[in-house]
Amino acid sequence: GDSVTQMEGPVTLSEEAFLTINCTYTATGYPSLFWYVQYPGEGLQLLLKATKADDKGSNKGFEATYRKETTSFHLEKGSVQVSDSAVYFCALSDTGTASKLTFGTGTRLQVTL
Amino acid sequence: DAMVIQNPRYQVTQFGKPVTLSCSQTLNHNVMYWYQQKSSQAPKLLFHYYDKDFNNEADTPDNFQSRRPNTSFCFLDIRSPGLGDAAMYLCATSRAGVGAGARTQYFGPGTRLLVL
């Protein structure tokens, strides 16, 4: 079945540092790929997505590229801020009519001054 | 703005006392989902509605039920909450089909359930 593997957290960075959170997937067919962010006590917010190979999703300075050859969708940001502290989930959507999501385990990011 | 709304944001119930959580959406999406999320874990899908068709996940306990009276609303009923049902409950919606925007789930802010 489909699966998503994310790097273990927590990740602790100083403000303005470069961020990478690794995500790899296993899926049949051509899934869509997503990054969701969850702030404490809140629901999941869609951060970015990519629907086909070589697509780059971007939002709020975050980027991720759909790499079919390496089955990866790594999240990057050039300069993190304290306000980026949250849990980040990588996910894929299957090709079925209901588009079920398969989530990674989540990576907690803590940014300090 | 089009959105997914969940009420209440916090719900306290007693062990064994039925509770209902609600979700509404202004996105006019035909698929609605309910997830359970426990601390430090990824959300776990309980069930979803594709239009009026109910689809239960194989490992969802019978204690959890759902109703979707119309496109906009969906309810999660917990018939006899146990201490282990304390969690964040997330509602999400998506537009089925192909093309830009399809297959993307949009989440509400969640309802945190406390069972005493």
Side-chain angles (χ1 to χ4, degrees):
Chain A
D2 297 346
S3 66
V4 174
T5 302
Q6 278 182 246
M7 62 188 291
E8 292 286 330
V11 174
T12 303
L13 295 173
S14 299
E15 197 169 48
E16 299 184 1
F18 184 86
L19 169 70
T20 299
I21 301 178
N22 290 337
C23 172
T24 58
Y25 68 91
T26 302
T28 56
Y30 301 93
S32 293
L33 301 174
F34 306 87
W35 279 99
Y36 286 89
V37 59
Q38 187 173 33
Y39 299 99
E42 299 293 325
L44 273 66
Q45 296 178 23
L46 178 65
L47 182 59
L48 52 83
K49 68 178 183 180
T51 58
K52 60 183 187 296
D54 301 324
D55 267 1
K56 176 186 283 188
S58 62
N59 185 26
K60 300 180 182 179
F62 291 89
E63 293 183 341
T65 301
Y66 189 144
R67 301 287 189 199
K68 191 165 179 62
E69 65 275 15
T70 54
T71 62
S72 65
F73 193 54
H74 305 320
L75 182 68
E76 297 182 334
K77 187 176 185 183
S79 177
V80 294
Q81 306 299 312
V82 171
S83 57
D84 294 326
S85 299
V87 179
Y88 293 81
F89 290 96
C90 183
L92 67 83
S93 173
D94 69 16
T95 54
T97 52
S99 305
K100 292 184 184 181
L101 286 175
T102 298
F103 286 96
T105 53
T107 302
R108 181 174 300 277
L109 171 66
Q110 180 73 43
V111 181
T112 59
L113 290 171
Chain B
D1 286 344
M3 56 197 306
V4 182
I5 302 161
Q6 290 189 245
N7 287 306
R9 294 293 308 274
Y10 300 91
Q11 176 73 57
V12 181
T13 191
Q14 293 179 337
F15 182 95
K17 183 175 181 180
V19 65
T20 294
L21 309 181
S22 71
C23 176
S24 63
Q25 53 127 343
T26 61
L27 296 161
N28 203 32
H29 284 169
N30 52 345
V31 190
M32 295 186 76
Y33 311 79
W34 278 105
Y35 291 85
Q36 180 191 65
Q37 186 182 28
K38 295 192 174 181
S39 182
S40 302
Q41 297 181 17
K44 178 180 181 298
L45 182 63
L46 296 173
F47 26 60
H48 73 273
Y49 273 95
Y50 186 115
D51 293 325
K52 294 184 178 181
D53 292 333
F54 177 72
N55 297 271
N56 202 27
E57 293 300 299
D59 57 354
T60 298
D62 293 341
N63 197 27
F64 292 87
Q65 303 287 322
S66 186
R67 295 169 285 133
R68 189 179 186 186
N70 54 52
T71 300
S72 300
F73 284 86
C74 195
F75 300 99
L76 169 63
D77 300 310
I78 308 177
R79 293 192 295 187
S80 181
L83 298 179
D85 297 327
M88 174 78 92
Y89 289 88
L90 297 167
C91 175
T93 73
S94 74
R95 178 172 63 81
V98 298
R103 298 168 58 186
T104 300
Q105 289 191 26
Y106 296 90
F107 285 79
T111 295
R112 182 164 297 280
L113 178 68
L114 181 62
V115 181
L116 301 178

